[in-house]
Amino acid sequence: MADQNRQRKVADRIKQTVASLLERRIKDPRLGFVTITDVRVTGDLQHATIFYTVLGSENEAKDTAKALESAKGLIRSQVGKALGIRLTPTIEFQADALPQSAAQLEEALMRAREADERIAEQARSSKYAGDADPYKRSEDLEERDAQ
């Protein structure tokens, strides 16, 4: 097992290498606007999961997944050259769910904001059910007794 610092360094190097390859070397027309968001490497440095996001429609995301899968061999060989370690890790591409989660969270916050605005509007137009000051004071009691 590699220590966590080495594991982190290998993951960072893989991320840089893959991003550079996608930007400059891989010319697949199916490849959309891809961003490598994270790389996770197992403790024994034998397997790397590369998380990515795609800007665009669902079809573009599917096409990008196919393009990444077809370029996996080239990417793995270049990662092996860049790392310079004894065994090159296997590579798996996985679409990152972070953008969808962020969109859902943003939508929930928007609904909560709208509900708060409705409640604030109701509070502005509401009136007290009883007196404005429901507490008894000694002056009020003295006036009542005097009558």
Side-chain angles (χ1 to χ4, degrees), residues 131-137 140:
D131 295 331
D133 187 9
Y135 299 104
K136 295 181 182 178
R137 295 200 171 111
D140 295 337

Side-chain angles (χ1 to χ4, degrees), residues 31-99:
L31 198 61
F33 188 73
V34 181
T35 302
I36 304 298
T37 56
D38 193 18
V39 175
R40 294 197 184 138
V41 180
T42 58
D44 59 358
L45 305 178
Q46 294 300 304
H47 183 74
T49 303
I50 301 170
F51 294 91
Y52 67 94
T53 58
V54 179
L55 184 67
S57 68
E58 190 70 31
N59 288 337
E60 290 173 335
K62 288 178 184 177
D63 288 344
T64 298
K66 290 176 186 175
L68 289 172
E69 195 63 34
S70 70
K72 190 186 286 188
L74 171 69
I75 292 171
R76 184 170 183 237
S77 67
Q78 293 300 313
V79 165
K81 289 177 185 176
L83 290 177
I85 57 178
R86 188 170 63 99
L87 297 172
T88 302
T90 59
I91 292 176
E92 175 187 4
F93 287 99
Q94 185 162 350
D96 199 350
L98 184 64

Side-chain angles (χ1 to χ4, degrees), residues 18 34 38 55 60 68 71 78 89 97 99-101 109 111 116-117 119 124 143:
V18 172
V34 181
D38 193 18
L55 184 67
E60 290 173 335
L68 289 172
Q78 293 300 313
Q100 290 85 9
S101 300
L109 288 172
R111 285 195 309 263
D116 286 348
E117 289 173 3
I119 291 170
R124 276 187 234 114
E143 285 179 21

